[in-house]
Amino acid sequence: MESIYLVGFMGSGKSTIGKQLAKRLNLLYIDMDEQIEQTTKKQIKTIFAEEGEQAFREIEHQTLKATPKQGYVISTGGGIVERIENRQWLLNKQVVYLKTSWETVKKRLANDQDRPIWQDQSQDKQLLLQSRDPKYREIAKIIVNTDQRSIDQIVAEINLHLHK
Ligand code: S3P
């Protein structure tokens, strides 16, 4: 089966849903952020702090292009849609957008210390969510609302709409 890419804002549940979806479909699972941390042997926040966002985006771009075309559920990072090359690359893939409201994101990330963009006081994150939403939509084959829904419900809905 063609690999499935999960996209969506920070806190949309890409990792949690990705693992469960992979189990349900009997596919393997990759978390791109974890993969970047393993290959660079650095935490994402350290890459941002030491090398800057653009360096991270370049690693992220290369990691995306190297993902397996078949047999995997792949959770991307929330900023994957920032680069047009990434959006173009994802356009003909099986992309699922986990759509989440600002209220839910705020609740889920209330205690988060690890996401550099979330911690960046100079950025308006609500505005960032608004500006990314059309970019996620642009590449999505399936859009699933995650607000007030259980993991099982979300996985079942994705499963229903997938091309197998
Ligand atoms: C980012 C989201 C993070 C991670 C990095 C940048 C972003 O992934 O890739 O901190 O720009 O929104 P999650 O969406 O898994 O938090």
PDB file of all heavy atoms in Angstrom, residues 116-138:
ATOM      1  N   PRO A 116      10.260  24.480  19.577  1.00  0.00           N
ATOM      2  CA  PRO A 116      10.845  25.826  19.493  1.00  0.00           C
ATOM      3  C   PRO A 116       9.907  26.877  18.908  1.00  0.00           C
ATOM      4  O   PRO A 116       9.908  28.028  19.356  1.00  0.00           O
ATOM      5  CB  PRO A 116      12.077  25.634  18.602  1.00  0.00           C
ATOM      6  CG  PRO A 116      11.977  24.272  18.023  1.00  0.00           C
ATOM      7  CD  PRO A 116      11.064  23.471  18.867  1.00  0.00           C
ATOM      8  N   ILE A 117       9.099  26.485  17.925  1.00  0.00           N
ATOM      9  CA  ILE A 117       8.194  27.472  17.318  1.00  0.00           C
ATOM     10  C   ILE A 117       7.112  27.859  18.338  1.00  0.00           C
ATOM     11  O   ILE A 117       6.714  29.014  18.449  1.00  0.00           O
ATOM     12  CB  ILE A 117       7.528  26.898  16.038  1.00  0.00           C
ATOM     13  CG1 ILE A 117       8.592  26.514  15.012  1.00  0.00           C
ATOM     14  CG2 ILE A 117       6.470  27.846  15.470  1.00  0.00           C
ATOM     15  CD1 ILE A 117       9.047  27.588  14.058  1.00  0.00           C
ATOM     16  N   TRP A 118       6.664  26.846  19.102  1.00  0.00           N
ATOM     17  CA  TRP A 118       5.629  27.101  20.120  1.00  0.00           C
ATOM     18  C   TRP A 118       6.172  28.025  21.215  1.00  0.00           C
ATOM     19  O   TRP A 118       5.466  28.861  21.761  1.00  0.00           O
ATOM     20  CB  TRP A 118       5.145  25.773  20.716  1.00  0.00           C
ATOM     21  CG  TRP A 118       3.978  25.928  21.650  1.00  0.00           C
ATOM     22  CD1 TRP A 118       3.970  25.780  22.996  1.00  0.00           C
ATOM     23  CD2 TRP A 118       2.639  26.272  21.279  1.00  0.00           C
ATOM     24  NE1 TRP A 118       2.722  26.018  23.495  1.00  0.00           N
ATOM     25  CE2 TRP A 118       1.883  26.310  22.463  1.00  0.00           C
ATOM     26  CE3 TRP A 118       2.000  26.548  20.057  1.00  0.00           C
ATOM     27  CZ2 TRP A 118       0.510  26.623  22.471  1.00  0.00           C
ATOM     28  CZ3 TRP A 118       0.636  26.862  20.056  1.00  0.00           C
ATOM     29  CH2 TRP A 118      -0.083  26.896  21.254  1.00  0.00           C
ATOM     30  N   GLN A 119       7.448  27.849  21.533  1.00  0.00           N
ATOM     31  CA  GLN A 119       8.079  28.645  22.591  1.00  0.00           C
ATOM     32  C   GLN A 119       8.456  30.056  22.129  1.00  0.00           C
ATOM     33  O   GLN A 119       8.708  30.923  22.955  1.00  0.00           O
ATOM     34  CB  GLN A 119       9.381  27.960  23.075  1.00  0.00           C
ATOM     35  CG  GLN A 119       9.198  26.590  23.683  1.00  0.00           C
ATOM     36  CD  GLN A 119       8.263  26.598  24.876  1.00  0.00           C
ATOM     37  OE1 GLN A 119       8.276  27.540  25.649  1.00  0.00           O
ATOM     38  NE2 GLN A 119       7.441  25.570  24.998  1.00  0.00           N
ATOM     39  N   ASP A 120       8.499  30.257  20.816  1.00  0.00           N
ATOM     40  CA  ASP A 120       8.989  31.527  20.264  1.00  0.00           C
ATOM     41  C   ASP A 120       7.965  32.658  20.508  1.00  0.00           C
ATOM     42  O   ASP A 120       6.934  32.724  19.856  1.00  0.00           O
ATOM     43  CB  ASP A 120       9.239  31.336  18.755  1.00  0.00           C
ATOM     44  CG  ASP A 120       9.771  32.599  18.105  1.00  0.00           C
ATOM     45  OD1 ASP A 120       9.910  33.623  18.793  1.00  0.00           O
ATOM     46  OD2 ASP A 120      10.050  32.543  16.886  1.00  0.00           O
ATOM     47  N   GLN A 121       8.316  33.515  21.467  1.00  0.00           N
ATOM     48  CA  GLN A 121       7.373  34.572  21.880  1.00  0.00           C
ATOM     49  C   GLN A 121       7.156  35.617  20.785  1.00  0.00           C
ATOM     50  O   GLN A 121       6.166  36.359  20.816  1.00  0.00           O
ATOM     51  CB  GLN A 121       7.890  35.282  23.147  1.00  0.00           C
ATOM     52  CG  GLN A 121       8.083  34.361  24.347  1.00  0.00           C
ATOM     53  CD  GLN A 121       6.818  33.601  24.736  1.00  0.00           C
ATOM     54  OE1 GLN A 121       5.721  34.141  24.665  1.00  0.00           O
ATOM     55  NE2 GLN A 121       6.959  32.335  25.115  1.00  0.00           N
ATOM     56  N   SER A 122       8.071  35.667  19.817  1.00  0.00           N
ATOM     57  CA  SER A 122       7.933  36.700  18.780  1.00  0.00           C
ATOM     58  C   SER A 122       6.932  36.298  17.694  1.00  0.00           C
ATOM     59  O   SER A 122       6.608  37.079  16.819  1.00  0.00           O
ATOM     60  CB  SER A 122       9.293  36.989  18.149  1.00  0.00           C
ATOM     61  OG  SER A 122       9.689  35.896  17.349  1.00  0.00           O
ATOM     62  N   GLN A 123       6.467  35.042  17.759  1.00  0.00           N
ATOM     63  CA  GLN A 123       5.524  34.582  16.727  1.00  0.00           C
ATOM     64  C   GLN A 123       4.111  34.474  17.274  1.00  0.00           C
ATOM     65  O   GLN A 123       3.916  33.940  18.368  1.00  0.00           O
ATOM     66  CB  GLN A 123       5.917  33.196  16.233  1.00  0.00           C
ATOM     67  CG  GLN A 123       7.166  33.184  15.395  1.00  0.00           C
ATOM     68  CD  GLN A 123       7.117  32.067  14.363  1.00  0.00           C
ATOM     69  OE1 GLN A 123       6.126  31.891  13.654  1.00  0.00           O
ATOM     70  NE2 GLN A 123       8.180  31.302  14.287  1.00  0.00           N
ATOM     71  N   ASP A 124       3.135  34.938  16.498  1.00  0.00           N
ATOM     72  CA  ASP A 124       1.730  34.765  16.849  1.00  0.00           C
ATOM     73  C   ASP A 124       1.295  33.391  16.318  1.00  0.00           C
ATOM     74  O   ASP A 124       1.134  33.208  15.110  1.00  0.00           O
ATOM     75  CB  ASP A 124       0.911  35.889  16.202  1.00  0.00           C
ATOM     76  CG  ASP A 124      -0.573  35.804  16.550  1.00  0.00           C
ATOM     77  OD1 ASP A 124      -1.057  34.685  16.843  1.00  0.00           O
ATOM     78  OD2 ASP A 124      -1.233  36.843  16.526  1.00  0.00           O
ATOM     79  N   LYS A 125       1.145  32.435  17.244  1.00  0.00           N
ATOM     80  CA  LYS A 125       0.893  31.052  16.826  1.00  0.00           C
ATOM     81  C   LYS A 125      -0.523  30.857  16.260  1.00  0.00           C
ATOM     82  O   LYS A 125      -0.741  30.005  15.411  1.00  0.00           O
ATOM     83  CB  LYS A 125       1.131  30.085  17.987  1.00  0.00           C
ATOM     84  CG  LYS A 125       2.543  29.517  18.006  1.00  0.00           C
ATOM     85  CD  LYS A 125       3.614  30.468  18.403  1.00  0.00           C
ATOM     86  CE  LYS A 125       3.640  30.668  19.893  1.00  0.00           C
ATOM     87  NZ  LYS A 125       4.670  31.662  20.289  1.00  0.00           N
ATOM     88  N   GLN A 126      -1.446  31.663  16.743  1.00  0.00           N
ATOM     89  CA  GLN A 126      -2.810  31.546  16.208  1.00  0.00           C
ATOM     90  C   GLN A 126      -2.818  31.969  14.728  1.00  0.00           C
ATOM     91  O   GLN A 126      -3.445  31.331  13.880  1.00  0.00           O
ATOM     92  CB  GLN A 126      -3.757  32.421  17.019  1.00  0.00           C
ATOM     93  CG  GLN A 126      -5.210  32.199  16.631  1.00  0.00           C
ATOM     94  CD  GLN A 126      -6.194  32.890  17.557  1.00  0.00           C
ATOM     95  OE1 GLN A 126      -5.796  33.658  18.436  1.00  0.00           O
ATOM     96  NE2 GLN A 126      -7.467  32.631  17.361  1.00  0.00           N
ATOM     97  N   LEU A 127      -2.074  33.026  14.456  1.00  0.00           N
ATOM     98  CA  LEU A 127      -1.942  33.511  13.080  1.00  0.00           C
ATOM     99  C   LEU A 127      -1.213  32.480  12.213  1.00  0.00           C
ATOM    100  O   LEU A 127      -1.562  32.273  11.047  1.00  0.00           O
ATOM    101  CB  LEU A 127      -1.141  34.821  13.106  1.00  0.00           C
ATOM    102  CG  LEU A 127      -1.500  35.881  12.083  1.00  0.00           C
ATOM    103  CD1 LEU A 127      -2.940  36.335  12.256  1.00  0.00           C
ATOM    104  CD2 LEU A 127      -0.556  37.084  12.241  1.00  0.00           C
ATOM    105  N   LEU A 128      -0.231  31.824  12.820  1.00  0.00           N
ATOM    106  CA  LEU A 128       0.528  30.794  12.104  1.00  0.00           C
ATOM    107  C   LEU A 128      -0.397  29.634  11.714  1.00  0.00           C
ATOM    108  O   LEU A 128      -0.355  29.144  10.583  1.00  0.00           O
ATOM    109  CB  LEU A 128       1.682  30.295  12.988  1.00  0.00           C
ATOM    110  CG  LEU A 128       2.682  29.346  12.342  1.00  0.00           C
ATOM    111  CD1 LEU A 128       3.433  30.018  11.197  1.00  0.00           C
ATOM    112  CD2 LEU A 128       3.683  28.832  13.389  1.00  0.00           C
ATOM    113  N   LEU A 129      -1.241  29.237  12.659  1.00  0.00           N
ATOM    114  CA  LEU A 129      -2.218  28.174  12.368  1.00  0.00           C
ATOM    115  C   LEU A 129      -3.124  28.607  11.210  1.00  0.00           C
ATOM    116  O   LEU A 129      -3.352  27.847  10.270  1.00  0.00           O
ATOM    117  CB  LEU A 129      -3.044  27.866  13.629  1.00  0.00           C
ATOM    118  CG  LEU A 129      -4.248  26.934  13.473  1.00  0.00           C
ATOM    119  CD1 LEU A 129      -3.834  25.542  13.016  1.00  0.00           C
ATOM    120  CD2 LEU A 129      -5.011  26.811  14.785  1.00  0.00           C
ATOM    121  N   GLN A 130      -3.600  29.845  11.274  1.00  0.00           N
ATOM    122  CA  GLN A 130      -4.477  30.356  10.203  1.00  0.00           C
ATOM    123  C   GLN A 130      -3.752  30.386   8.857  1.00  0.00           C
ATOM    124  O   GLN A 130      -4.353  30.080   7.836  1.00  0.00           O
ATOM    125  CB  GLN A 130      -4.934  31.774  10.532  1.00  0.00           C
ATOM    126  CG  GLN A 130      -6.096  31.816  11.494  1.00  0.00           C
ATOM    127  CD  GLN A 130      -6.352  33.234  12.006  1.00  0.00           C
ATOM    128  OE1 GLN A 130      -5.968  34.218  11.394  1.00  0.00           O
ATOM    129  NE2 GLN A 130      -6.993  33.331  13.157  1.00  0.00           N
ATOM    130  N   SER A 131      -2.488  30.747   8.878  1.00  0.00           N
ATOM    131  CA  SER A 131      -1.769  30.859   7.598  1.00  0.00           C
ATOM    132  C   SER A 131      -1.390  29.487   7.050  1.00  0.00           C
ATOM    133  O   SER A 131      -1.260  29.304   5.846  1.00  0.00           O
ATOM    134  CB  SER A 131      -0.540  31.750   7.738  1.00  0.00           C
ATOM    135  OG  SER A 131       0.472  31.051   8.432  1.00  0.00           O
ATOM    136  N   ARG A 132      -1.234  28.496   7.936  1.00  0.00           N
ATOM    137  CA  ARG A 132      -0.881  27.151   7.449  1.00  0.00           C
ATOM    138  C   ARG A 132      -2.106  26.361   6.991  1.00  0.00           C
ATOM    139  O   ARG A 132      -1.970  25.482   6.135  1.00  0.00           O
ATOM    140  CB  ARG A 132      -0.143  26.379   8.545  1.00  0.00           C
ATOM    141  CG  ARG A 132       1.292  26.823   8.719  1.00  0.00           C
ATOM    142  CD  ARG A 132       1.959  26.011   9.802  1.00  0.00           C
ATOM    143  NE  ARG A 132       3.364  26.375   9.992  1.00  0.00           N
ATOM    144  CZ  ARG A 132       4.128  25.876  10.944  1.00  0.00           C
ATOM    145  NH1 ARG A 132       3.618  24.991  11.786  1.00  0.00           N
ATOM    146  NH2 ARG A 132       5.386  26.247  11.070  1.00  0.00           N
ATOM    147  N   ASP A 133      -3.257  26.657   7.552  1.00  0.00           N
ATOM    148  CA  ASP A 133      -4.457  25.863   7.244  1.00  0.00           C
ATOM    149  C   ASP A 133      -4.678  25.681   5.725  1.00  0.00           C
ATOM    150  O   ASP A 133      -4.842  24.551   5.261  1.00  0.00           O
ATOM    151  CB  ASP A 133      -5.684  26.479   7.938  1.00  0.00           C
ATOM    152  CG  ASP A 133      -6.957  25.765   7.595  1.00  0.00           C
ATOM    153  OD1 ASP A 133      -7.108  24.583   7.964  1.00  0.00           O
ATOM    154  OD2 ASP A 133      -7.820  26.375   6.920  1.00  0.00           O
ATOM    155  N   PRO A 134      -4.648  26.774   4.926  1.00  0.00           N
ATOM    156  CA  PRO A 134      -4.839  26.565   3.479  1.00  0.00           C
ATOM    157  C   PRO A 134      -3.737  25.738   2.826  1.00  0.00           C
ATOM    158  O   PRO A 134      -3.981  25.056   1.819  1.00  0.00           O
ATOM    159  CB  PRO A 134      -4.849  27.986   2.896  1.00  0.00           C
ATOM    160  CG  PRO A 134      -4.399  28.898   3.965  1.00  0.00           C
ATOM    161  CD  PRO A 134      -4.525  28.194   5.276  1.00  0.00           C
ATOM    162  N   LYS A 135      -2.546  25.757   3.424  1.00  0.00           N
ATOM    163  CA  LYS A 135      -1.433  24.982   2.850  1.00  0.00           C
ATOM    164  C   LYS A 135      -1.625  23.487   3.123  1.00  0.00           C
ATOM    165  O   LYS A 135      -1.306  22.641   2.301  1.00  0.00           O
ATOM    166  CB  LYS A 135      -0.099  25.461   3.427  1.00  0.00           C
ATOM    167  CG  LYS A 135       0.191  26.913   3.088  1.00  0.00           C
ATOM    168  CD  LYS A 135       1.465  27.396   3.743  1.00  0.00           C
ATOM    169  CE  LYS A 135       1.681  28.879   3.448  1.00  0.00           C
ATOM    170  NZ  LYS A 135       2.674  29.488   4.325  1.00  0.00           N
ATOM    171  N   TYR A 136      -2.154  23.166   4.303  1.00  0.00           N
ATOM    172  CA  TYR A 136      -2.466  21.753   4.593  1.00  0.00           C
ATOM    173  C   TYR A 136      -3.597  21.286   3.666  1.00  0.00           C
ATOM    174  O   TYR A 136      -3.553  20.189   3.108  1.00  0.00           O
ATOM    175  CB  TYR A 136      -2.924  21.578   6.049  1.00  0.00           C
ATOM    176  CG  TYR A 136      -1.900  21.904   7.118  1.00  0.00           C
ATOM    177  CD1 TYR A 136      -2.235  22.763   8.168  1.00  0.00           C
ATOM    178  CD2 TYR A 136      -0.626  21.346   7.113  1.00  0.00           C
ATOM    179  CE1 TYR A 136      -1.325  23.058   9.177  1.00  0.00           C
ATOM    180  CE2 TYR A 136       0.294  21.639   8.117  1.00  0.00           C
ATOM    181  CZ  TYR A 136      -0.064  22.498   9.151  1.00  0.00           C
ATOM    182  OH  TYR A 136       0.841  22.790  10.146  1.00  0.00           O
ATOM    183  N   ARG A 137      -4.600  22.149   3.514  1.00  0.00           N
ATOM    184  CA  ARG A 137      -5.745  21.798   2.653  1.00  0.00           C
ATOM    185  C   ARG A 137      -5.334  21.535   1.215  1.00  0.00           C
ATOM    186  O   ARG A 137      -5.850  20.629   0.553  1.00  0.00           O
ATOM    187  CB  ARG A 137      -6.764  22.939   2.633  1.00  0.00           C
ATOM    188  CG  ARG A 137      -7.555  23.071   3.886  1.00  0.00           C
ATOM    189  CD  ARG A 137      -8.415  24.320   3.797  1.00  0.00           C
ATOM    190  NE  ARG A 137      -9.110  24.511   5.027  1.00  0.00           N
ATOM    191  CZ  ARG A 137     -10.211  23.832   5.369  1.00  0.00           C
ATOM    192  NH1 ARG A 137     -10.722  22.953   4.535  1.00  0.00           N
ATOM    193  NH2 ARG A 137     -10.781  24.028   6.520  1.00  0.00           N
ATOM    194  N   GLU A 138      -4.435  22.384   0.755  1.00  0.00           N
ATOM    195  CA  GLU A 138      -3.978  22.337  -0.636  1.00  0.00           C
ATOM    196  C   GLU A 138      -3.436  20.948  -1.011  1.00  0.00           C
ATOM    197  O   GLU A 138      -3.614  20.494  -2.133  1.00  0.00           O
ATOM    198  CB  GLU A 138      -2.871  23.399  -0.753  1.00  0.00           C
ATOM    199  CG  GLU A 138      -2.187  23.551  -2.068  1.00  0.00           C
ATOM    200  CD  GLU A 138      -0.963  24.490  -1.925  1.00  0.00           C
ATOM    201  OE1 GLU A 138      -1.081  25.551  -1.264  1.00  0.00           O
ATOM    202  OE2 GLU A 138       0.097  24.135  -2.462  1.00  0.00           O
TER     203      GLU A 138
END
